[in-house]
Amino acid sequence: MAVVRDRQILLARARRFATGMYSVLAGFVEPGETLEDCVAREVREETGVEVKNLRYFASQPWPFPHSLMLAFTAEWAGGEIRPDPTEIADAGWFSADNFPKLPDPLSVARRLINWFAAGPGRTS
């Protein structure tokens, strides 16, 4: 999920990531949950941030059987970042000109970040 606030994107470093690497948030759909509800719940649980104006972005096969990654964009609706310490080592708002180390360019996560850098996050 790419959460955008003004000209910044919410990126987080999961505990399992390589040192210094950040990415967009991710999560799993619960039984009986809509995709939109999943995005809002996962963002809230992992960072304490509320979102609005969710939009489907793309999909990517996932290496687990019968799984698919779905990418969404959303706008910040409120809340301060409070990372869930069991999943998130750090999280913050980043502008396109101060990105930390990012995921592989072939991943849908990086495609979301590149979308942000080419559009809403453009600083020039």
Side-chain angles (χ1 to χ4, degrees), residues 28-116:
F28 293 94
V29 178
E30 298 290 336
E33 183 177 51
T34 68
L35 297 175
E36 295 84 359
D37 288 344
C38 172
V39 170
R41 177 186 53 77
E42 287 286 352
V43 172
R44 183 182 322 104
E45 286 178 359
E46 293 183 4
T47 65
V49 169
E50 298 294 332
V51 295
K52 64 182 179 181
N53 299 329
L54 282 71
R55 300 217 186 279
Y56 171 80
F57 179 82
S59 65
Q60 174 183 331
W62 186 245
F64 299 117
H66 313 293
S67 296
L68 179 68
M69 291 182 71
L70 300 171
F72 287 84
T73 64
E75 296 174 17
W76 174 80
E80 296 298 319
I81 297 173
R82 293 181 319 277
D84 173 357
T86 61
E87 293 188 52
I88 306 296
D90 187 42
W93 296 104
F94 293 86
S95 62
D97 59 355
N98 78 336
F99 284 145
K101 182 178 174 185
L102 299 172
D104 186 282
L106 297 178
S107 69
V108 73
R110 181 63 175 271
R111 287 175 52 203
L112 280 166
I113 295 167
N114 290 347
W115 161 84
F116 167 78

